[in-house]
């Protein structure tokens, strides 16, 4: 990998997929090696999924793109550029105006952190509801009254 990796086009799905195939060729890795490297980086990318993904012309899911480009050896800003290009194509924002917040890129990492936090809150609230931690005030008063009256 002495040359620079291919850059992600944000024009159309076919160009994006062709660039992903060039990225695999640039990496020099087999599909099984890509699977192992993705796993080492904390992603899931079965070798058969990677092979099928590159054999098609439609856009893969964002998490597959991130796992694939990370396995190919791209990190942080480079991997984020691929995810952003995929999102741009998927949303059809080819001529979208620049962001108003100074043109800063959005990262895919905070999105996953938000999903994890939402899952944790949902699990905690579900447990609290199931244990009866949240009871109706009227129900609580009724229980206290019955207890004080010896009923």
């Amino acid at each position: 990998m002495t040359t620079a990796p291919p850059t992600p086009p944000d024009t159309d799905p076919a160009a994006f997929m062709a660039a992903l195939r060039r990225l695999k060729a640039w990496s020099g890795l087999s599909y099984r090696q890509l699977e192992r490297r993705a796993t080492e980086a904390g992603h899931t990318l079965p070798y058969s999924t990677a092979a099928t993904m590159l054999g098609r012309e439609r856009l893969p899911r964002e998490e597959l793109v991130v796992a694939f480009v990370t396995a190919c050896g791209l990190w942080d800003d480079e991997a984020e550029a691929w995810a952003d290009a995929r999102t741009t194509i998927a949303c059809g924002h080819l001529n979208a105006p620049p962001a108003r917040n100074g043109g800063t890129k959005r990262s895919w990492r905070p999105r996953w952190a938000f999903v994890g936090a939402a899952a944790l809150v949902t699990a905690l609230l579900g447990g609290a509801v199931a244990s009866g931690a949240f009871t109706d005030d009227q129900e609580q008063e009724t229980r206290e009254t019955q207890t004080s009256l010896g009923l």
Side-chain angles (χ1 to χ4, degrees):
M1 292 193 285
T2 57
T3 61
T7 57
D10 59 2
T11 54
D12 62 82
F16 186 83
M17 295 309 298
L20 280 178
R21 287 188 281 276
R22 284 192 304 277
L23 181 62
K24 182 195 179 293
W26 171 83
S27 75
L29 300 170
S30 70
Y31 289 111
R32 295 227 186 234
Q33 290 170 319
L34 289 171
E35 178 180 25
R36 281 191 291 274
R37 288 185 68 175
T39 301
E40 291 167 2
H43 298 286
T44 301
L45 181 69
Y47 73 91
S48 59
T49 301
T52 301
M53 174 182 79
L54 293 183
R56 296 183 176 163
E57 291 301 316
R58 68 174 189 243
L59 289 175
R61 294 185 324 268
E62 182 176 359
E63 59 270 13
L64 281 179
V65 171
V66 171
F68 182 80
V69 299
T70 301
C72 285
L74 304 182
W75 294 91
D76 298 326
D77 289 343
E78 292 175 315
E80 189 175 320
W82 282 88
D84 287 345
R86 185 242 174 247
T87 301
T88 299
I89 295 168
C91 294
H93 297 136
L94 298 177
N95 297 316
R100 292 184 186 188
N101 59 0
T104 57
K105 292 185 198 176
R106 59 181 177 77
S107 175
W108 52 269
R109 288 182 183 168
R111 287 181 258 169
W112 287 111
F114 175 76
V115 169
L120 178 63
V121 168
T122 302
L124 290 174
L125 285 175
V129 169
S131 69
F134 296 116
T135 59
D136 185 44
D137 289 338
Q138 182 65 35
E139 180 182 335
Q140 186 67 27
E141 288 177 23
T142 303
R143 282 188 197 155
E144 289 172 2
T145 304
Q146 289 174 347
T147 303
S148 68
L149 295 175
L151 298 176

